[in-house]
Structures are given as structure tokens and as C-alpha cells.
Amino acid sequence: MDFTLTEEQEAIRENVARLCSRFDDQFWLETDRTGNFPFEFHSAMAADGWLGITMPEEYGGAGLGVTEAALMMHEVAKSSGGMSAASAIHINIFGPHPIVVFGNDEQKNRWLPPLIKGEVKTCFGVTEPNAGLNTTALETRAEKTASGDYVINGRKIWTTTGQEADKIMLLVRTTPKEKCKKVTDGLSLFYTDLNREFIDVRIIDKMGRKAVDSNEVFIDNLPVPKEDLIGEEGKGFHYILHSLNPERVLVGMEGIGLGMNALQRAAKYAREREVFGRPIGKNQAIQHPLAENWMELEAAYLMAMKAAANYDAGLDSGVYANAAKWLGGEAGFKACTQAVMTHGGMGYAKEFVVERLMREVMICRIAPVSPQLVLCYIAEKALGMPKSY
């Protein structure tokens, strides 16, 4: 058993870290204050080819695996940018995967190169206000017209980067649920223009990650050409599953990166901050929680790497991917919270960054699946217990 990274993987970590270091605490403090999207960071990642890390080489990508993508996103989240930086590019890493697997050659040639070059930004329209995590309960409908094209009506929520996006990947119902043999049937996947003449994108004012917007999306008679349907009609739910495990691994790694970022800041502060004539890091009440954070983050990292390796090897990765997401989110949250407490009053000050990391790491606990549903999944799939929902 060898835990050593390859030379190529080490180079990925080093080069991504070097690029991210160009965007310092002050840059991200300003984006968090203003809510301006980090276009400069997005452009820099695109210029160096990172947006296509998992995309096929024939379309301009690097053709690498989820393991390499996970290492990249870990470094991004571990940088000053935290979740703001990760979320600015996150959709590019897992979102287009159904296009790669199920799209035809014309679609791949039309859609993938602009995404990889950073010329086009996309967003993900799956979650709905009345469905939440129950994806089979989606109400957004696509009606086929006489020409074979479609008209889509409905609502989506928590659509990231909807304010900047040119394209949207939409999971919608094309066959009423009552006419389907299984509830997972009748859903279709489209990748189409985010045409603001028919789509109203309304920003959600939220707790953290102000620089990368989240939105409600209202779709009113959106015309969609049949050429924008991915694969077969009615198979969309099964297509979207191919991006879920990679996303769980990446979110877990991002939570770990945020936690390591916060832990490094806390340890530095504890070494330098003196109270009663001695550094506070000399006190076990400060040392022990941070030592626990280090162990938990390292353990979560190993689980995420195992999940990524399994996925890339074509082995079953569902249990490990969900475990990686849960462990990464929980360990990251604990580390970020402890970093604020280690800083004491200054942990509440924006200039010390850890308060932003604590706000941002909540995403890794909540999305893309709740910690409670992960536990249900592990109980069922890993332990053979009856399904509880």
C-alpha cells in the first residue's frame, strides 16, 4: 500500500498552490465584502488549463481522473480563497461529466472546448424549492413541441453562479411521474443557453461565500432545441448519478482544505500570541483541540483519496464518496470553529480570515447532500440495514 503521490500529482499540487498564492487574503476579503465574482481568479485557472483537468484531451482537457481533480480542489480550498475560490470553478470539474459520458460527438465539440477555455460559464439547475433532496419529485416540466423541440417551465433553487452563467444544465421531467414505471424514470437532462429573456435569476442573500452567487431561477416558456437534450429522453436521473460521487469527493476535499487553512492560521496565532507572559500555544487547552483537528482532517483526507482512487479504477465508490463528504465536512467545520475560538476576540474580526472560513465551511456540511442522508446511506449500503426514508 503506497500513499505517495506521483510526480505528476505533486506537480499539480505545487502549481495550483503557486497560482492561488497570487490571490491573497486582501483580494478575497474584498470579494467577500463587495460580492463581486472573482473573474481574475477564474480566468487565471482557465489560462493554465485547470478547468479542463478531467475533460478529454481531444477537446482541450487534461484527461486526468477524479484523484487529480480532488488534489487540485484541495489546494484551491486550502488557499486564501477557501470556498469562494473553490466554488468559482467547482461546477467545471464535475458538472459537465454527463456530457462527456452521454453526449454525442457534436455536443462535445460544441460545448466542452468553450468551458475548458473559460470562455463560457455554466450553472447547475437540479434542486427545486418543493423537492429538496428528493430529486424524483422535481416539478419543472419540458413539453415537446410539434417540431421535436421543447419548452421548459418551472423553478430551481440554490443555482450557483447563475448571475454570471451563459449556460445551464437542467434536470426536468418530460414524462409525468404517474405515467412512469419507476419514479426515477421520466426525467431528462438538457444543457442549454441561460436565456434571460425566458429565465429570471434572483440572487439569494446568504451566510457566506458572497463572491460566488446562489440563486432562485424562474423559467417561463424557455425554448430549448432538441439538439440540447443529453442522451435519451427519460434517462436524465441515471445520467446525473455519474456526477454525484465525484462531486461528493470534491466537496469533502474542499472541506478538508478549508479546515487545514484554518488550522494553519490557528497554530500560527497560538505560537505567536502571548498572554500572561507566555504563548497561548503552550497551554494544553489550546494544543489538544488543534491536535485533534489535525488528526481528523488527515483521516478524512485518506478517505477522500480512497474514494477518488476507487472511482478512477472503476470500482464501487458510493460508500466511500459519501463517507469522504461527511468526514470532510465535519472535520473541516470543527477545525474552522476551533480556529475562531483559538483566536479569541480576534477570531471574530474579518482581517484574521478564520471567521470567513467558518461561514464558508458550512456549505460542505449542508451540500450537496445532508449529513443525515449520508448516515442513512452508509447504514443501508455498508451495514445492510433497512432503508429508512
Side-chain angles (χ1 to χ4, degrees):
M1 187 177 295
D2 185 2
F3 294 98
T4 307
L5 299 182
T6 66
E7 287 187 15
E8 182 181 42
Q9 290 168 341
E10 285 288 2
I12 289 170
R13 293 185 62 168
E14 291 170 7
N15 289 322
V16 170
R18 189 179 303 115
L19 186 155
C20 291
S21 69
R22 290 156 43 190
F23 301 88
D24 60 10
D25 288 352
Q26 192 57 41
F27 174 87
W28 294 105
L29 178 63
E30 186 66 12
T31 62
D32 188 55
R33 184 184 67 80
T34 64
N36 292 335
F37 186 82
F39 290 105
E40 303 94 330
F41 173 75
H42 183 276
S43 296
M45 292 295 287
D48 279 14
W50 296 114
L51 299 189
I53 189 168
T54 61
M55 297 295 112
E57 292 182 73
E58 58 264 40
Y59 303 106
L64 299 176
V66 171
T67 302
E68 287 74 26
L71 289 169
M72 180 185 85
M73 296 308 294
H74 179 252
E75 288 300 323
V76 170
K78 199 167 69 169
S79 75
S80 291
M83 203 64 188
S84 294
S87 294
I89 61 172
H90 182 93
I91 183 66
N92 269 80
I93 312 306
F94 80 92
H97 197 61
I99 299 172
V100 175
V101 179
F102 301 105
N104 58 43
D105 289 341
E106 186 276 331
Q107 289 173 332
K108 293 175 188 177
N109 280 303
R110 177 158 51 105
W111 291 334
L112 294 181
L115 273 175
I116 293 167
K117 294 174 185 175
E119 298 169 349
V120 165
K121 296 182 183 67
T122 189
C123 60
F124 213 48
V126 174
T127 305
E128 294 185 6
N130 297 327
L133 291 170
N134 185 7
T135 305
T136 60
L138 296 183
E139 297 171 348
T140 298
R141 289 293 307 275
E143 302 284 352
K144 188 176 283 190
T145 66
S147 66
D149 295 326
Y150 297 84
V151 175
I152 295 179
N153 286 278
R155 293 173 62 191
K156 297 293 180 180
I157 196 169
W158 296 114
T159 299
T160 298
T161 67
Q163 296 294 322
E164 293 80 28
D166 310 285
K167 293 280 195 177
I168 184 168
M169 185 167 285
L170 282 169
L171 184 66
V172 302
R173 187 160 285 285
T174 43
T175 303
K177 189 159 61 171
E178 59 272 16
K179 294 184 178 180
C180 297
K181 291 182 179 179
K182 296 188 294 185
V183 293
T184 53
D185 293 339
L187 293 167
S188 298
L189 190 62
F190 294 87
Y191 183 73
T192 194
D193 292 338
L194 202 161
N195 188 337
R196 294 169 199 273
E197 183 179 347
F198 304 94
I199 300 177
D200 184 15
V201 183
R202 302 179 192 174
I203 198 163
I204 299 171
D205 196 16
K206 58 189 187 298
M207 177 181 179
R209 207 197 63 186
K210 188 175 181 180
V212 181
D213 52 272
S214 300
N215 304 274
E216 284 189 275
V217 176
F218 299 83
I219 306 168
D220 186 15
N221 291 323
L222 173 69
V224 177
K226 55 181 176 291
E227 292 79 13
D228 289 355
L229 171 69
I230 298 174
E232 296 180 45
E233 188 179 290
K235 300 287 184 68
F237 181 84
H238 307 282
Y239 297 161
I240 214 79
L241 292 178
H242 281 261
S243 65
L244 295 187
N245 285 335
E247 186 187 20
R248 281 155 170 68
V249 174
L250 297 182
V251 170
M253 272 295 208
E254 289 159 13
I256 295 161
L258 281 162
M260 289 183 171
N261 182 336
L263 179 59
Q264 290 168 1
R265 294 174 188 273
K268 181 176 184 294
Y269 188 83
R271 291 192 300 269
E272 297 174 355
R273 171 64 170 161
E274 291 194 3
V275 179
F276 301 118
R278 54 188 269 154
I280 63 170
K282 208 169 187 179
N283 302 318
Q284 291 180 353
I286 298 292
Q287 289 183 355
H288 289 182
L290 296 179
E292 275 189 44
N293 292 151
W294 183 88
M295 290 186 286
E296 289 165 351
L297 289 165
E298 288 292 326
Y301 174 87
L302 291 175
M303 176 61 79
M305 289 295 284
K306 177 170 183 173
N310 270 28
Y311 184 90
D312 289 337
L315 303 174
D316 181 33
S317 60
V319 167
Y320 300 108
N322 277 275
K325 186 271 172 193
W326 192 93
L327 291 169
E330 298 302 310
F333 173 74
K334 285 180 65 176
C336 290
T337 304
Q338 191 60 45
V340 172
M341 298 305 293
T342 301
H343 282 75
M346 299 315 295
Y348 209 64
K350 287 185 179 293
E351 67 174 293
F352 281 79
V353 179
V354 289
E355 64 84 29
R356 173 170 65 85
L357 300 179
M358 187 182 76
R359 287 185 284 117
E360 292 185 345
V361 80
M362 288 298 294
I363 299 170
C364 302
R365 296 187 80 201
I366 298 170
V369 59
S370 71
Q372 291 77 21
L373 269 185
V374 170
L375 294 175
C376 290
Y377 182 89
I378 298 297
E380 179 189 350
K381 302 298 183 181
L383 302 177
M385 299 176 77
K387 189 172 183 177
S388 62
Y389 61 95

